[in-house]
Amino acid sequence: MLGAFALIAAAIAIPALTGWNVHVRSFPPLHAEWTPRVGLGLPAAVLLGALVIWRGQRVAKQLTWRRLQIVVFVVALGWLLSLALVDGWNGIGTILNHRYEYLGTAREVTDFGATLNEYVARIPFQHENNWPVHIAGHPPGALLFFYVLVRLGLGSGLAAGLVVTVLGATIPVAVLGTVRLLGAEDFARKAAPLLVFSPAAIWIAVSGDGMFSAFAAWGAYALARSATARSRQTKVGIRRPWVRMVVWAAVAGLLFGYCVMLSYGLLLLGVLAVTVLVVARSWWPLPVAAVFGLGVVGVFAANGFAWWEAFPVVHQRYWDGIASRRPPEYWMWGNLAAFAMSAGPAIGASLMGVVSGGIATFRKRPRFAPLSATLQGEAGRKSAGTSMRVVLLLAAAGWMMIALADVSNMSRAEVERIWLPFAPWVLLGATVFSERTLRWLLVVQVVFAILLQSLLQTGW
């Protein structure tokens, strides 16, 4: 964690002290401005943070799983709203109303089919009626989502912001459910407070990428449901496991396929999908999920938007814009600092846990044994080791997606929101530490999030 703080400090200090223009608004590595304030939601954020530090771990261990899911959703929603409301009610809808976001364009669309047919042509800067930056930089799935909200009468900034916030509150529910399905309920319970009280909530509540994260998390959950359908038959008496496997694989394919139509970078979710199947030791869902995922992409292509035709055009627009002026010498590591601010400094502990815990676990000499005090005998030790491997592999998948995104050279700055779908999986790596260490990590995450939201005005 100290390494994460050092990285953040260097990313802030070097441009400020040297005058190095790294081409983001005011407060690199974040797209933000220094605007200290005390807002409406601050007391609620402080109260929720204090409560989770005091009782969060105990509650997560004691509640039945169903009740824990409900509590996680409700508390996550409260945390998201309290941070957003530091800026008052404007904190929920103002950013979505900005001209470079999706909502304004969604209000103007009257024929989405016609929009798809002209989508690629309007991406380049040279087009006289080119798309706003976020529309141009993403496939049309994001625009379609907000277009549907507009058609449903939820097209105001506040209404759309509340929809995105509610979806964002389901992210930890889906991630924890995935971990449990893969055989690590003990670690899921340990992870619950850390996943809910992440600084990522600052961006999840106000950006389209928060909605992307929800689709990605539920895609992983559906894939885990499919991959474990046969094993769950013997445990809970499920009938027709093959039917359930196919249905859940289809749902996973639809969700992951739609993720590809939300953001070009979410193609990297393939790493997460493969990891889920590896952990579950089942490849049966893969062909079904692949067919339905490709089907989503095919439907968009049949209606005028071919992903493979759009991507090189987007790549060119990216380099025609400000990205070409953002120095890679800074952003190759500045991106990681921005991610450490958005996901929280606990990612430093996560990386340490993945590396150290991974080496120790796969040598069959576990260095971290969070359950050793409660699990007795050889069976208990084996169970703890298996659970640990689940979270280590999922966290390693998160880090792999981050590494690939960083070296792609298509993520210079703005990753505090772009990498939101990867953040909860990365944070799982911190759960290999003791409960005492986790409590201190939670303190840091809560305090860091509240200070960040109270001192900086983020751009999305």
Side-chain angles (χ1 to χ4, degrees), residues 183-184 186-187 357-358 360-362 366-371 382-394 431-433:
D186 42 0
F187 281 85
T361 299
F362 291 105
R367 176 179 173 183
F368 304 109
L371 303 179
K382 287 182 178 179
S383 177
T386 301
S387 296
M388 186 180 295
R389 281 190 287 273
V390 170
V391 296
L392 287 173
L393 284 169
L394 291 173
T431 60
V432 300
F433 292 98

Side-chain angles (χ1 to χ4, degrees), residues 264-275 311 332 335-336 396-412 415 418-419 422 426:
Y264 295 98
L266 292 188
L267 194 64
L268 294 174
L269 289 172
V271 174
L272 177 62
V274 169
T275 302
F311 183 73
M332 285 299 291
N335 281 340
L336 299 176
W399 280 110
M400 178 62 71
M401 292 186 287
I402 292 294
L404 291 172
D406 201 27
V407 301
S408 72
N409 224 9
M410 288 288 287
S411 293
R412 291 188 184 177
V415 299
I418 296 172
W419 290 355
F422 312 140
V426 166

Side-chain angles (χ1 to χ4, degrees), residues 11 17-18 25 138 231 244 289 302 351 355 359 363 365 400 424:
L17 295 176
T18 65
R25 193 182 73 189
H138 293 78
S231 62
R244 293 176 181 270
L351 184 58
V355 175
I359 293 172
R363 284 180 177 175
R365 291 187 285 107
M400 178 62 71

Side-chain angles (χ1 to χ4, degrees), residues 226 245-251 253-254 283-293:
S226 176
M245 186 203 74
V246 170
V247 170
W248 281 107
V251 172
L254 292 172
W283 295 98
W284 292 107
L286 183 58
V288 177
V291 166
F292 277 86

Side-chain angles (χ1 to χ4, degrees), residues 22-25 28-31 318 322-323 326-327 330-332 334-336 338 406 410-419 460:
V22 296
H23 294 281
V24 293
R25 193 182 73 189
L30 298 182
H31 191 78
Y318 184 75
I322 197 171
R326 288 174 173 163
Y330 176 84
W331 286 110
M332 285 299 291
N335 281 340
L336 299 176
D406 201 27
M410 288 288 287
S411 293
R412 291 188 184 177
E414 306 171 23
V415 299
E416 60 268 24
R417 62 172 181 82
I418 296 172
W419 290 355
W460 28 63

Side-chain angles (χ1 to χ4, degrees), residues 165-416:
T165 303
V166 170
L167 285 175
T170 70
I171 296 169
V173 178
V175 174
L176 296 176
T178 303
V179 175
R180 180 176 185 256
L181 284 168
L182 295 175
E185 180 178 333
D186 42 0
F187 281 85
R189 290 178 179 275
K190 287 184 67 178
L194 204 61
L195 292 184
V196 171
F197 285 84
S198 165
I202 295 169
W203 291 270
I204 288 173
V206 297
S207 73
D209 296 82
M211 175 264 291
F212 302 173
S213 302
F215 275 85
W218 285 107
Y221 174 82
L223 191 61
R225 281 293 297 262
S226 176
T228 58
R230 295 182 67 191
S231 62
R232 292 177 72 241
Q233 180 189 25
T234 60
K235 292 180 180 179
V236 296
I238 296 176
R239 297 180 179 179
R240 301 189 208 173
W242 287 100
V243 174
R244 293 176 181 270
M245 186 203 74
V246 170
V247 170
W248 281 107
V251 172
L254 292 172
L255 289 170
F256 279 135
Y258 200 72
C259 283
V260 173
M261 303 310 298
L262 289 170
S263 172
Y264 295 98
L266 292 188
L267 194 64
L268 294 174
L269 289 172
V271 174
L272 177 62
V274 169
T275 302
V276 168
L277 296 177
V278 168
V279 172
R281 298 182 180 181
S282 173
W283 295 98
W284 292 107
L286 183 58
V288 177
V291 166
F292 277 86
L294 291 172
V296 174
V297 177
V299 167
F300 276 89
N303 285 277
F305 177 86
W307 190 99
W308 52 90
E309 293 177 358
F311 183 73
V313 182
V314 169
H315 184 273
Q316 186 58 50
R317 167 144 182 181
Y318 184 75
W319 291 110
D320 285 344
I322 197 171
S324 61
R325 300 195 295 276
R326 288 174 173 163
E329 299 85 0
Y330 176 84
W331 286 110
M332 285 299 291
W333 59 274
N335 281 340
L336 299 176
F339 181 63
M341 296 180 79
S342 125
I347 68 163
S350 166
L351 184 58
M352 179 182 174
V354 169
V355 175
S356 301
I359 293 172
T361 299
F362 291 105
R363 284 180 177 175
K364 298 183 180 180
R365 291 187 285 107
R367 176 179 173 183
F368 304 109
L371 303 179
S372 59
T374 56
L375 291 174
Q376 302 297 323
E378 185 64 23
R381 287 192 292 273
K382 287 182 178 179
S383 177
T386 301
S387 296
M388 186 180 295
R389 281 190 287 273
V390 170
V391 296
L392 287 173
L393 284 169
L394 291 173
W399 280 110
M400 178 62 71
M401 292 186 287
I402 292 294
L404 291 172
D406 201 27
V407 301
S408 72
N409 224 9
M410 288 288 287
S411 293
R412 291 188 184 177
E414 306 171 23
V415 299
E416 60 268 24

